[in-house]
């Protein structure tokens, strides 16, 4: 029958509307002030929870809603004052190994969270937070690679009993090896060329020395820089997880910089401490008995056992591609490590030649401290000084030549888990410095959010009044569909975990106009049909059918533009593109299917003589 939807279609539309309402409701629930405690090295134990609770009770700070797992614990508080007091009390109780971060915790009912009905993630400009522009020290990355090459060259030549007159790093892409004879140089070149495919070899002489120059090619240098930037980006992304940040932005900018945006983070100093932590792993052999005192460093195992670690580095941590803690066939804990191709070749060669010796893994951290001094004018200035801190985290015996994938055994369950966590947390492939920093406070973010939604409300109100006055009953149907459209946008963004930003709100306002524009095209077409003497029922049907192609073409071109913006854009541009794409899809549904369902319920299957569609409505003979 003309202008009548079947029952199943009406029920489907109703189901979508109810679903949209359900998934948009969580955005009405305010967040609780909270504190997230995390230990990226050792995790959180029940003893830690008890210690924190005791500290809060001693400080007479009320808390509720404690959530605890092996990696973190979250406490909720009634207000901001209690939150800041609690942070101070907890930091005074715990050591520096723990991350104590101010946080916001959702209050959405559990049954809603169980079906995936969560709040929309708010961007930095709406929620407040911190923005950093970090620069990667590419020279340090190249220097680290050359130091790695130097250690491996020394190890290979020592294993082949090829004597040298010294090895020297000329610059960050040039290593020279000096020999007493051309025969020794030729033998060394034959051994090294297969182990270093990315390096160019060149012979030269100076005085009575025969020198083998080893240089990184420009292509290899560029690839090292790209790999370093990508490795640091992934590591930073892993680190911000410890801060409990929803939808952080960690993306490359240019050839050596990374942008980090942390929405909701209210403690920039804590964020800086985590992000600037420079750490890496080094694999060494234990020094042999009788070794020269200058060839090793003394360390202690976690159990307090003294160990002399050889200075030569077998492998750097950036060669590790993945790591996980597992159980062997006997149910005993072990740590499985996977290396990249170059790392696998290095570890196989060294361990094949050193079966029975102990291999040590060092965690190397570069920390910073502020030093106050006086300048030439006698003014006090502060300078940041970096220093290295190393500790032994694994001491194990080499049982056989290790392949690209190998396991470390002889650990307790806790030791295996700790070692896996240390490696998995990621180490920066090169140091980074913060070159730009800005903070958007929670109050400013709240003002942006309120202003944005006020803009949506004003725009929607003006559109609603216009449609109601100009198109009357049809305008009422369009207004109902418009409200439905906004709810669907919020629900879809909540469901897929999209982030709402201030430009995203602009996208919603634009979508509101586009949705109404579609209805204007339809209603104008219906009025034209009525003016041509077409009966009301046929005019409604023709208006929707003939306007569809124009509406679809216009929305399709806009959708494609939004896809391009999302693909090539970043930050605010992506936020705008996401809401625009979602809004186009939902407005097509509400403007065409939604309003027609309402019009069908009002006029469908009835003998109609007058349509309430504005000043062009006219009385016509009813169709029979």
């Amino acid at each position: 029958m003309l202008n009548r939807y079947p029952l199943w279609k009406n029920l489907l539309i109703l189901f979508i509307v109810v679903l949209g309402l359900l998934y948009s409701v969580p955005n009405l629930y305010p967040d609780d002030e909270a504190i997230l405690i995390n230990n990226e090295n050792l995790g959180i134990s029940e003893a830690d929870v008890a210690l924190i609770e005791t500290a809060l009770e001693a400080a007479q700070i009320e808390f509720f809603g404690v959530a605890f797992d092996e990696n973190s614990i979250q406490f909720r508080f009634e207000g901001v004052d209690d939150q800041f007091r609690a942070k101070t009390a907890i930091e005074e109780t715990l050591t520096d190994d723990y991350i104590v971060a101010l946080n916001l915790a959702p209050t959405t009912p559990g049954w809603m969270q169980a079906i995936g009905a969560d709040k929309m993630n708010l961007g930095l400009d709406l929620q407040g937070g911190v923005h950093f522009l970090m620069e990667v020290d590419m020279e340090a990355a190249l220097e680290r690679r050359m130091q790695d090459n130097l250690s491996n060259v020394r190890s290979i030549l020592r294993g082949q009993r090829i004597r040298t007159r010294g090895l020297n790093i000329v610059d960050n892409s040039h290593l020279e090896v000096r020999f007493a004879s051309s025969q020794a140089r030729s033998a060394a070149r034959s051994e090294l060329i297969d182990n270093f495919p990315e390096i160019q070899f060149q012979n030269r002489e100076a005085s009575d020395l025969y020198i083998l120059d080893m240089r990184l090619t420009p292509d290899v240098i560029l690839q090292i820089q790209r790999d370093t930037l990508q490795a640091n980006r992934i590591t930073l992304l892993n680190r911000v997880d410890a801060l409990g940040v929803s939808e952080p932005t960690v993306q490359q900018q240019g050839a050596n910089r990374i942008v980090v945006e942390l929405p909701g983070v209210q403690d920039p100093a804590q964020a800086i401490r985590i992000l600037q932590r420079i750490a890496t792993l080094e694999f060494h052999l234990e020094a042999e008995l009788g070794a020269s005192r200058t060839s090793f460093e003394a360390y202690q195992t976690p159990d307090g056992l003294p160990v002399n670690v050889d200075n030569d580095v077998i492998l750097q941590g950036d060669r590790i591609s993945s790591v996980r803690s597992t159980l062997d066939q006997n149910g005993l804990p072990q740590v499985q490590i996977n290396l990249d191709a170059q790392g696998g070749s290095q570890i196989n060669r060294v361990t094949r030649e050193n079966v029975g010796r102990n291999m040590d893994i060092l965690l190397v951290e570069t920390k910073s401290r502020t030093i106050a001094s006086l300048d030439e004018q006698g003014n006090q200035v502060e300078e940041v000084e970096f220093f290295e801190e190393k500790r032994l985290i694994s001491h194990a015996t080499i049982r056989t030549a290790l392949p690209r994938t190998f396991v470390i055994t002889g650990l307790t369950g806790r030791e295996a888990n700790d070692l896996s966590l240390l490696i998995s947390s990621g180490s920066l492939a090169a140091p980074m410095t913060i070159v730009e920093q800005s903070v958007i406070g929670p109050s400013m973010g709240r003002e942006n959010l309120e202003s944005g939604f006020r803009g949506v409300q004003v725009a929607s109100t003006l559109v609603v009044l216009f449609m109601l006055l100009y198109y009357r009953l049809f305008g009422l149907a369009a207004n109902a569909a418009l409200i439905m459209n906004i709810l669907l946008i919020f629900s879809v963004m909540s469901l897929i975990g999209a982030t709402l930003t201030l430009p995203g709100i602009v996208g919603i306002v634009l979508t509101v106009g586009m949705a109404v524009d579609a209805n204007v095209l339809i209603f104008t077409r219906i009025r034209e049909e009525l003016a041509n003497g077409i009966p009301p029922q046929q005019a409604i049907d023709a208006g929707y059918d003939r306007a569809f192609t124009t509406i679809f073409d216009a929305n399709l071109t806009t959708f494609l533009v939004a896809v391009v913006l999302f693909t090539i854009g970043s930050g605010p541009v992506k936020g705008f593109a996401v809401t625009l794409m979602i809004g186009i899809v939902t407005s097509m549904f509400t403007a065409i299917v939604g309003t027609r369902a309402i019009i069908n319920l009002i006029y469908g299957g009835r003998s109609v003589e007058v349509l309430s569609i504005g000043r062009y409505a006219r009385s016509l003979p009813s169709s029979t």
Side-chain angles (χ1 to χ4, degrees):
M1 186 179 295
L2 199 61
N3 297 324
R4 288 289 298 273
Y5 276 161
L7 178 61
W8 69 266
K9 185 174 286 188
N10 285 322
L11 291 177
L12 179 60
I13 295 171
L14 180 62
F15 173 75
I16 293 174
V17 172
V18 172
L19 202 64
L21 179 63
L22 176 64
Y23 278 88
S24 60
V25 163
N27 294 289
L28 300 177
Y29 289 88
D31 291 327
D32 284 334
E33 280 74 21
I35 286 181
L36 186 71
I37 301 100
N38 180 286
N39 188 321
E40 60 180 1
N41 293 340
L42 304 178
I44 298 289
S45 66
E46 294 185 2
D48 294 326
V49 179
L51 183 64
I52 295 170
E53 289 179 343
T54 301
L56 293 176
E57 290 171 357
Q60 298 181 342
I61 301 172
E62 295 185 0
F63 58 90
F64 64 95
V66 180
F68 163 65
D69 59 36
E70 62 180 7
N71 295 320
S72 64
I73 179 172
Q74 185 184 72
F75 289 84
R76 299 185 185 223
F77 303 90
E78 292 290 349
V80 176
D81 291 341
D82 287 344
Q83 182 190 34
F84 277 92
R85 289 176 54 222
K87 180 177 183 296
T88 302
I90 295 172
E91 286 179 334
E92 291 175 351
T93 303
L94 302 177
T95 65
D96 291 339
D97 292 331
Y98 293 82
I99 301 170
V100 183
L102 300 174
N103 206 260
L104 294 173
T107 59
T108 309
W111 68 270
M112 285 189 174
Q113 295 184 29
I115 63 174
D118 295 315
K119 294 184 66 173
M120 281 186 300
N121 297 312
L122 299 180
L124 186 70
D125 47 5
L126 298 182
Q127 192 177 4
V130 291
H131 164 94
F132 300 109
L133 179 60
M134 308 187 74
E135 187 170 88
V136 182
D137 187 349
M138 292 301 181
E139 292 299 317
L142 292 172
E143 181 181 353
R144 181 173 293 172
R145 176 60 62 88
M146 292 307 294
Q147 288 288 352
D148 188 21
N149 290 338
L150 176 66
S151 295
N152 279 284
V153 168
R154 182 183 289 118
S155 177
I156 291 172
L157 298 182
R158 184 183 300 163
Q160 298 299 320
R161 290 181 168 81
I162 300 175
R163 297 177 63 86
T164 72
R165 287 289 185 90
L167 292 82
N168 181 47
I169 294 178
V170 179
D171 56 44
N172 290 336
S173 63
H174 181 195
L175 169 68
E176 67 175 21
V177 189
R178 297 182 291 275
F179 301 91
S181 67
S182 61
Q183 291 81 4
R185 181 177 63 184
S186 297
R189 179 167 180 160
S190 299
E191 290 294 332
L192 296 174
I193 198 165
D194 291 333
N195 288 279
F196 299 93
E198 78 279 9
I199 287 182
Q200 287 183 337
F201 293 83
Q202 186 175 0
N203 296 337
R204 65 182 174 92
E205 288 77 33
S207 300
D208 58 343
L209 294 176
Y210 295 84
I211 300 173
L212 179 62
D213 287 320
M214 302 173 61
R215 286 186 172 89
L216 296 175
T217 65
D219 289 343
V220 170
I221 292 175
L222 183 61
Q223 189 60 49
I224 292 173
Q225 292 174 339
R226 288 174 178 170
D227 292 344
T228 299
L229 194 65
Q230 180 66 5
N232 276 16
R233 192 189 71 82
I234 293 174
T235 299
L236 290 177
L237 193 56
N238 291 335
R239 289 184 181 183
V240 299
D241 287 342
L243 295 171
V245 181
S246 297
E247 292 296 314
T249 297
V250 182
Q251 61 187 18
Q252 176 182 340
Q253 185 178 93
N256 64 340
R257 291 186 173 185
I258 297 176
V259 173
V260 180
E261 292 183 348
L262 307 176
V265 173
Q266 304 170 33
D267 189 356
Q270 183 74 331
I272 292 172
R273 187 174 74 86
I274 301 305
L275 295 178
Q276 278 198 309
R277 181 188 176 201
I278 302 169
T280 188
L281 295 177
E282 289 182 354
F283 291 74
H284 295 253
L285 291 174
E286 184 179 11
E288 295 181 305
L289 293 176
S292 168
R293 180 65 187 84
T294 59
S295 67
F296 66 83
E297 293 290 336
Y299 294 92
Q300 284 189 336
T301 66
D303 296 331
L305 177 69
V307 175
N308 294 330
V309 178
D310 191 271
N311 288 336
D312 286 343
V313 181
I314 301 174
L315 194 73
Q316 295 280 4
D318 57 357
R319 293 297 187 187
I320 297 176
S321 57
S322 65
V323 61
R324 64 191 180 99
S325 177
T326 62
L327 298 177
D328 62 15
Q329 63 271 21
N330 299 317
L332 299 176
Q334 63 182 17
V335 175
Q336 179 177 312
I337 294 178
N338 298 312
L339 303 175
D340 60 17
Q342 178 71 16
S345 174
Q346 290 177 209
I347 201 73
N348 179 265
R349 174 179 48 77
V350 173
T351 55
R352 184 175 62 249
E353 299 169 355
N354 293 278
V355 173
R357 289 183 66 179
N358 291 321
M359 185 171 68
D360 302 313
I361 301 178
L362 298 178
L363 177 66
V364 185
E365 293 185 87
T366 302
K367 299 184 176 181
S368 61
R369 56 191 170 203
T370 303
I371 298 178
S373 60
L374 298 178
D375 60 14
E376 296 178 354
Q377 288 74 32
N379 300 320
Q380 181 170 322
V381 294
E382 293 184 348
E383 295 181 353
V384 177
E385 179 185 70
F386 291 92
F387 64 97
E388 276 194 352
E389 190 174 271
K390 297 184 179 183
R391 61 188 175 98
L392 183 65
I393 61 174
S394 176
H395 178 71
T397 303
I398 302 172
R399 302 297 182 189
T400 184
L402 300 179
R404 181 173 174 177
T405 298
F406 62 93
V407 295
I408 299 176
T409 59
L411 307 171
T412 66
R414 183 61 182 267
E415 288 171 341
N417 185 61
D418 292 349
L419 180 57
S420 178
L421 285 172
L422 281 168
I423 302 175
S424 297
S425 63
S427 58
L428 290 174
M432 302 184 70
T433 55
I434 296 176
V435 296
E436 179 182 299
Q437 172 186 343
S438 61
V439 180
I440 297 179
S443 58
M444 184 181 297
R446 194 174 300 113
E447 289 175 3
N448 290 339
L449 183 61
E450 292 173 355
S451 299
F453 279 114
R454 193 178 304 117
V456 174
Q457 292 169 357
V458 171
S460 301
T461 301
L462 292 176
V463 169
V464 165
L465 290 176
F466 170 78
M467 295 299 291
L468 192 59
L469 294 175
Y470 200 67
Y471 292 105
R472 302 186 185 177
L473 189 57
F474 277 73
L476 183 63
N479 291 337
L482 180 62
I483 295 172
M484 186 197 316
N485 181 39
I486 295 175
L487 291 178
L488 286 177
I489 293 174
F490 288 161
S491 62
V492 171
M493 292 188 68
S494 300
L495 189 60
I496 68 175
T499 300
L500 180 66
T501 62
L502 199 56
I505 293 179
V506 175
I508 294 177
V509 175
L510 178 59
T511 301
V512 169
M514 294 178 63
V516 172
D517 183 58
N519 285 134
V520 169
L521 289 174
I522 294 171
F523 298 162
T524 300
R525 187 69 187 183
I526 292 174
R527 294 199 304 194
E528 289 175 355
E529 297 294 332
L530 291 174
N532 291 332
I534 303 299
Q537 294 289 6
Q538 284 86 341
I540 294 173
D541 186 62
Y544 275 95
D545 288 345
R546 295 177 182 177
F548 174 78
T549 302
T550 302
I551 296 170
F552 180 79
D553 289 345
N555 281 275
L556 178 61
T557 53
T558 306
F559 186 86
L560 293 176
V561 170
V563 171
V564 173
L565 290 176
F566 181 81
T567 303
I568 67 176
S570 62
V573 176
K574 279 185 179 289
F576 173 78
V578 166
T579 53
L580 185 57
M581 287 189 291
I582 295 172
I584 288 172
V585 175
T586 57
S587 65
M588 283 284 289
F589 171 77
T590 57
I592 297 174
V593 180
T595 57
R596 185 156 193 180
I598 297 172
I599 296 300
N600 287 352
L601 290 175
I602 297 173
Y603 291 112
R606 293 173 49 196
S607 178
V608 181
E609 297 182 355
V610 176
L611 294 181
S612 178
I613 194 171
R615 60 190 180 90
Y616 289 100
R618 55 182 293 182
S619 177
L620 294 171
S622 61
S623 60
T624 57

